[in-house]
Amino acid sequence: MFIENIKLVNFRNIKYTELTPHNKINFIMGSNAQGKTNFIEAIYLAAFLKSFRTQKNSDLIKEGEKELLVELNINKYFVKNSIKLSISKDKKIISVDNKKINNNKNYFKNINVIIFHPDEVNYIGSYPVFRRNLIDRS
């Protein structure tokens, strides 16, 4: 699976950006507070419909704006899908290939994402249930 294109609108400190990453490896570089982690967080949000940094989706909307938009075009085993996630203060709209998704259970099969942040790395030395969860998701 790889991301063919990603578009972010009003996501944290990112007003608008569109990117077509390479299908093998990409480096995200920049000065502090320029949106590198926010960019990774947007991909994670598209995969799991939640952030790894905050519990409230409304915290993800750029200050002063009403909603955010994350759009991904992915290629998984030569099957292309378009994923669109729109979040406002009071609702979340998810669509795959322009069809609204109401059952989140089937949605999670669309994107495979693994993120290693300090909390998850600590799971390795923690309780077995946390390690199994991390390995299962990986």
Side-chain angles (χ1 to χ4, degrees):
M1 185 217 89
F2 63 92
I3 298 171
E4 290 186 336
N5 185 311
I6 184 168
K7 176 179 168 182
L8 304 177
V9 179
N10 297 326
F11 188 88
R12 290 205 182 257
N13 70 336
I14 300 170
K15 178 72 176 164
Y16 178 90
T17 193
E18 248 187 285
L19 177 75
T20 303
H22 189 272
N23 65 354
K24 297 288 184 192
I25 191 167
N26 295 276
F27 294 95
I28 301 172
M29 301 180 344
S31 301
N32 290 341
Q34 298 303 305
K36 299 178 301 292
T37 303
N38 296 342
F39 186 79
I40 299 299
E41 184 180 20
I43 296 170
Y44 187 93
L45 176 69
F48 297 108
L49 304 177
K50 65 179 183 175
S51 168
F52 63 88
R53 295 168 65 194
T54 184
Q55 295 297 315
K56 295 183 347 183
N57 284 335
S58 60
D59 291 343
L60 303 172
I61 302 170
K62 183 172 177 58
E63 193 172 312
E65 299 295 337
K66 293 183 175 155
E67 68 178 353
L68 68 82
L69 176 69
V70 176
E71 286 186 25
L72 288 140
N73 292 311
I74 60 171
N75 186 324
K76 185 174 181 181
Y77 306 116
F78 304 104
V79 176
K80 297 182 181 193
N81 293 105
S82 174
I83 295 169
K84 190 179 207 179
L85 175 61
S86 174
I87 297 175
S88 65
K89 302 271 188 223
D90 55 347
K91 68 180 176 178
K92 178 171 30 176
I93 300 170
I94 309 155
S95 65
V96 176
D97 297 329
N98 294 319
K99 297 176 189 158
K100 281 190 181 179
I101 300 294
N102 296 322
N103 181 357
N104 290 353
K105 184 177 179 181
N106 294 331
Y107 174 81
F108 296 116
K109 298 175 186 175
N110 289 301
I111 306 176
N112 301 326
V113 171
I114 301 169
I115 186 164
F116 294 106
H117 57 87
D119 292 341
E120 286 193 336
V121 173
N122 290 335
Y123 288 167
I124 294 168
S126 188
Y127 297 106
V129 69
F130 293 131
R131 283 195 302 271
R132 281 192 299 273
N133 185 0
L134 180 63
I135 291 168
D136 288 347
R137 285 185 292 124
S138 299

